[in-house]
Amino acid sequence: MLYMKVDVILGLQWGDEGKGKIVDVLAPDYDAVARFQGGPNAGHTLEIEDRKYVLRSIPSGILQEDTYNIIGSGVVIDPLLFKEEAEALMNDCTDMTNRLFISKKAHLILPTHRLLDAAYESAKKTGRIGTTGKGIGPAYGDKIGRCGLRVGDTLEPDFHERYEAAKLRHIEILKSLGQDCDIAELEKKWMEGIAYLQKFSLVDSEYVINDYLADCYSVLAEGAQGTMLDVDFGSYPFVTSSNTMCGGCCTGLGISPRSIGEVYGVFKAYCTRVGAGPFPTELHDETGETLCRLGNEYGSVTGRKRRCGWIDLVALRYAIMINGVTCLVMTKSDVLDTFDTIKVCVAYKRGDETFERLPYSIDESYEPVYTEIPGWKTDMSGMEKEDEFPEEFNAYLDFLENELETPIYIVSVGPNRAQTIRRYDEEEDECS
Ligand code: GDP
Ligand code: IMO
Ligand code: MG
């Protein structure tokens, strides 16, 4: 039987690798784009000509007019934020009600989930995660605890009773944490969001996607966050609450592992992290500030300054392994255009011991072991083809490909859609 595969785009570091931009660039090669996990903790920035868009729950294929977009069942949706996001997009571009489908099995983020997120964080004396405050942990917590509400439940006659019951349960917890629970205004807007959701097709997205594949339509799956924030394999407990890795694509879309095709792993030419948790290559010096300034490293959701450091191949090798990455995408290399030398962390060391594999838990006792690579000292942001690359940049790519044993298929040299260079000849997609 002829059957198409789902290609996956996901982040290999701690999020904000530029996944949204790459999804937007590759979307015209696909019939549909599907988000498989996360929620409005994501901020995926797309720059098209002189316009900038930040997408949170809506897949980054939405600005390519001919692409269908699906919010899969692994995603958690805040109807209030979804309404704001969708309305802003509809003001700016065409109507998308007929090409955005939402899974009935996606879980809802309630107003009280947001309050719980903040309350759990402030109740911690130590070890605060620095969440985005969007209610992600509590919403996924209710999902796993089997007491969540789903998009499909909004169509049921007893939805309001079920909502009230969930809300009261949350309020009891909030009270026990000494928190005030005035949600009247938030709740009103949230209910408007629930009504707004009904404008879209609420679907059994697993059927939609598997039917697409059987009908030979191509699908691109879009991950949120990054592999090092995966709830099982990231830097636990400083992680998000979903499976950001490739396996999350199967559980979040309802597709078989045999349906996975290419896995595009997106990484920055350096490294950033928002929120707390280990970051062995973090720079607290002038160089870190320079990376932050040149890379404009401020969170698209919370506006927080991102922590910056050198690229970490120990973490990257691990991420490539657990995701089965077939093609790499390197973003933000332009941020390094003026550097004399570039450091690459090839291992960690603690005392006399060297580690090429990611340790169970990383603390300050692990130090990065660096290799220094000469910088290319060339403005690459206007380049359009691989043959324009300076020699030193090619040497940097060769070094990374060699160390990571995976080809770097795309290089992004600026935030704009147009600033993207594909390095290898594309093979024809085959439905086999
Ligand atoms: P995502 O969450 O992985 O989609 O990434 P974000 O959108 O949160 O963060 C990436 C930021 O870098 C955004 O502001 C992008 O516009 C920008 N960006 C993406 N690719 C490049 C690039 O190659 N160079 C530069 N300078 N900026 C980029
Ligand atoms: P995109 O998709 C970067 C981080 C938060 C915090 C931790 C847990 O834009 O790459 P959460 O609100 O999920 O409970 O927060 O995860 N985090 C992200 N960091 N990019 C993201 O998304 C993130 N989503 C969550 O900063 O450390
Ligand atoms: Mg982001």
Short mmCIF file of all heavy atoms in Angstrom, two decimals, residues 12 22-23 37 48 62 72 74 81 90 100 115 118 120 127 136 140 206 277 283 316 338 350 354 390 392 397:
data_model
loop_
_atom_site.label_atom_id
_atom_site.label_comp_id
_atom_site.label_asym_id
_atom_site.label_seq_id
_atom_site.Cartn_x
_atom_site.Cartn_y
_atom_site.Cartn_z
N LEU A 12 16.80 20.90 19.25
CA LEU A 12 17.77 19.99 19.86
C LEU A 12 18.39 20.54 21.13
O LEU A 12 19.16 19.85 21.78
CB LEU A 12 18.89 19.69 18.86
CG LEU A 12 18.46 18.95 17.59
CD1 LEU A 12 19.66 18.71 16.68
CD2 LEU A 12 17.79 17.62 17.93
N ILE A 22 12.04 27.74 10.47
CA ILE A 22 12.36 26.63 9.56
C ILE A 22 11.08 25.92 9.10
O ILE A 22 10.96 25.54 7.94
CB ILE A 22 13.36 25.65 10.23
CG1 ILE A 22 14.65 26.40 10.62
CG2 ILE A 22 13.68 24.46 9.33
CD1 ILE A 22 15.37 27.12 9.46
N VAL A 23 10.10 25.80 10.00
CA VAL A 23 8.82 25.19 9.59
C VAL A 23 8.20 26.05 8.49
O VAL A 23 7.74 25.54 7.46
CB VAL A 23 7.86 25.06 10.80
CG1 VAL A 23 6.46 24.67 10.34
CG2 VAL A 23 8.40 24.03 11.79
N GLN A 37 2.92 18.83 20.42
CA GLN A 37 2.96 18.93 21.89
C GLN A 37 3.14 20.38 22.31
O GLN A 37 3.28 21.27 21.47
CB GLN A 37 4.04 18.03 22.51
CG GLN A 37 5.41 18.07 21.88
CD GLN A 37 6.21 19.36 21.99
OE1 GLN A 37 6.64 19.92 20.97
NE2 GLN A 37 6.38 19.85 23.19
N ILE A 48 8.77 37.66 7.82
CA ILE A 48 8.53 37.56 6.39
C ILE A 48 8.54 38.97 5.83
O ILE A 48 7.74 39.80 6.24
CB ILE A 48 7.18 36.87 6.13
CG1 ILE A 48 7.23 35.45 6.74
CG2 ILE A 48 6.86 36.80 4.65
CD1 ILE A 48 5.91 34.86 7.04
N ILE A 62 0.98 28.25 9.00
CA ILE A 62 -0.24 29.01 8.76
C ILE A 62 -0.04 30.19 7.80
O ILE A 62 -0.98 30.60 7.13
CB ILE A 62 -0.87 29.48 10.10
CG1 ILE A 62 -2.36 29.75 9.94
CG2 ILE A 62 -0.15 30.68 10.69
CD1 ILE A 62 -3.22 28.57 9.77
N GLY A 72 -2.50 19.21 17.13
CA GLY A 72 -2.68 17.79 17.47
C GLY A 72 -3.09 17.56 18.91
O GLY A 72 -3.11 18.48 19.75
N GLY A 74 -1.66 16.11 21.33
CA GLY A 74 -0.64 16.24 22.38
C GLY A 74 -0.45 17.68 22.86
O GLY A 74 0.28 17.94 23.81
N LEU A 81 -5.89 32.57 25.07
CA LEU A 81 -4.69 32.95 24.30
C LEU A 81 -4.83 32.55 22.84
O LEU A 81 -4.34 33.24 21.95
CB LEU A 81 -3.45 32.31 24.92
CG LEU A 81 -3.11 32.78 26.34
CD1 LEU A 81 -1.88 32.07 26.87
CD2 LEU A 81 -2.89 34.30 26.36
N MET A 90 -5.72 36.76 11.86
CA MET A 90 -6.78 36.98 10.87
C MET A 90 -6.87 38.45 10.47
O MET A 90 -7.30 38.75 9.38
CB MET A 90 -8.11 36.48 11.41
CG MET A 90 -8.03 34.98 11.63
SD MET A 90 -9.39 34.09 10.95
CE MET A 90 -10.17 33.50 12.40
N LEU A 100 -7.42 25.44 9.45
CA LEU A 100 -6.83 25.13 10.75
C LEU A 100 -7.77 24.17 11.49
O LEU A 100 -8.92 24.50 11.76
CB LEU A 100 -6.65 26.41 11.59
CG LEU A 100 -6.11 26.20 12.99
CD1 LEU A 100 -4.70 25.59 12.97
CD2 LEU A 100 -6.07 27.51 13.78
N LEU A 115 -3.09 30.00 37.46
CA LEU A 115 -2.87 30.40 38.86
C LEU A 115 -2.07 29.33 39.60
O LEU A 115 -1.19 29.64 40.40
CB LEU A 115 -4.21 30.63 39.58
CG LEU A 115 -5.14 31.69 39.01
CD1 LEU A 115 -6.29 31.96 39.97
CD2 LEU A 115 -4.43 32.99 38.72
N ALA A 118 1.67 29.53 38.81
CA ALA A 118 2.34 30.58 39.59
C ALA A 118 2.45 30.19 41.06
O ALA A 118 3.49 30.39 41.70
CB ALA A 118 1.56 31.89 39.45
N TYR A 120 2.49 27.13 42.46
CA TYR A 120 3.48 26.06 42.69
C TYR A 120 4.90 26.64 42.65
O TYR A 120 5.75 26.26 43.44
CB TYR A 120 3.36 24.95 41.64
CG TYR A 120 2.14 24.07 41.81
CD1 TYR A 120 1.44 23.62 40.68
CD2 TYR A 120 1.69 23.67 43.06
CE1 TYR A 120 0.32 22.81 40.81
CE2 TYR A 120 0.56 22.86 43.19
CZ TYR A 120 -0.12 22.43 42.06
OH TYR A 120 -1.22 21.64 42.18
N GLY A 127 14.80 25.66 43.96
CA GLY A 127 14.55 24.86 42.76
C GLY A 127 13.40 25.34 41.91
O GLY A 127 12.74 24.54 41.24
N ILE A 136 1.13 25.35 31.96
CA ILE A 136 1.48 24.12 31.23
C ILE A 136 1.58 22.90 32.16
O ILE A 136 0.93 21.88 31.91
CB ILE A 136 2.82 24.32 30.47
CG1 ILE A 136 2.74 25.54 29.53
CG2 ILE A 136 3.26 23.05 29.75
CD1 ILE A 136 1.72 25.45 28.43
N TYR A 140 -0.98 19.64 31.99
CA TYR A 140 -0.52 18.27 31.68
C TYR A 140 -0.67 17.37 32.91
O TYR A 140 -0.91 16.18 32.78
CB TYR A 140 0.93 18.28 31.20
CG TYR A 140 1.09 18.57 29.72
CD1 TYR A 140 1.72 19.74 29.28
CD2 TYR A 140 0.64 17.68 28.75
CE1 TYR A 140 1.88 20.02 27.93
CE2 TYR A 140 0.79 17.94 27.39
CZ TYR A 140 1.42 19.11 26.99
OH TYR A 140 1.57 19.37 25.65
N GLU A 206 -6.18 12.38 14.63
CA GLU A 206 -5.43 11.17 14.27
C GLU A 206 -5.97 10.56 12.98
O GLU A 206 -5.22 10.06 12.16
CB GLU A 206 -5.41 10.16 15.43
CG GLU A 206 -6.75 9.61 15.90
CD GLU A 206 -7.51 10.56 16.84
OE1 GLU A 206 -7.35 11.78 16.74
OE2 GLU A 206 -8.29 10.05 17.67
N GLY A 277 18.00 25.95 35.61
CA GLY A 277 18.48 24.61 35.25
C GLY A 277 19.88 24.62 34.72
O GLY A 277 20.41 25.68 34.35
N LEU A 283 27.85 31.40 29.55
CA LEU A 283 28.88 32.43 29.70
C LEU A 283 28.34 33.57 30.54
O LEU A 283 27.27 34.11 30.23
CB LEU A 283 29.29 32.96 28.31
CG LEU A 283 29.99 31.97 27.39
CD1 LEU A 283 30.01 32.49 25.95
CD2 LEU A 283 31.40 31.69 27.88
N LEU A 316 24.14 17.98 22.26
CA LEU A 316 23.64 17.83 20.88
C LEU A 316 23.71 16.38 20.40
O LEU A 316 22.78 15.88 19.78
CB LEU A 316 24.45 18.71 19.92
CG LEU A 316 23.86 20.07 19.58
CD1 LEU A 316 24.75 20.78 18.56
CD2 LEU A 316 22.46 19.94 19.01
N THR A 338 31.16 38.07 13.57
CA THR A 338 32.26 38.99 13.89
C THR A 338 33.28 38.39 14.87
O THR A 338 34.23 39.05 15.25
CB THR A 338 31.69 40.27 14.54
OG1 THR A 338 30.85 39.88 15.63
CG2 THR A 338 30.88 41.09 13.55
N ARG A 350 35.25 16.52 34.91
CA ARG A 350 35.08 16.72 36.36
C ARG A 350 36.31 16.08 37.00
O ARG A 350 36.51 14.87 36.88
CB ARG A 350 33.80 16.04 36.85
CG ARG A 350 33.51 16.42 38.29
CD ARG A 350 32.15 15.97 38.74
NE ARG A 350 32.00 14.53 38.65
CZ ARG A 350 30.94 13.87 39.11
NH1 ARG A 350 29.94 14.51 39.65
NH2 ARG A 350 30.87 12.57 38.99
N THR A 354 36.87 12.67 32.02
CA THR A 354 36.26 13.36 30.87
C THR A 354 34.99 12.60 30.46
O THR A 354 34.96 11.37 30.47
CB THR A 354 37.25 13.37 29.68
OG1 THR A 354 38.44 13.97 30.15
CG2 THR A 354 36.72 14.17 28.51
N PRO A 390 32.40 31.50 3.31
CA PRO A 390 33.85 31.60 3.49
C PRO A 390 34.44 30.25 3.91
O PRO A 390 33.74 29.42 4.49
CB PRO A 390 34.01 32.62 4.62
CG PRO A 390 32.65 32.99 5.08
CD PRO A 390 31.63 32.29 4.26
N GLU A 392 36.49 29.41 6.25
CA GLU A 392 36.47 29.09 7.69
C GLU A 392 35.09 28.60 8.12
O GLU A 392 34.97 27.79 9.03
CB GLU A 392 36.85 30.32 8.55
CG GLU A 392 38.27 30.81 8.39
CD GLU A 392 38.45 31.69 7.16
OE1 GLU A 392 37.47 31.87 6.38
OE2 GLU A 392 39.56 32.20 6.96
N LEU A 397 31.46 24.00 9.58
CA LEU A 397 30.40 23.04 9.25
C LEU A 397 30.96 21.62 9.20
O LEU A 397 30.36 20.68 9.73
CB LEU A 397 29.76 23.39 7.90
CG LEU A 397 28.93 24.67 7.82
CD1 LEU A 397 28.46 24.91 6.39
CD2 LEU A 397 27.72 24.59 8.74
#
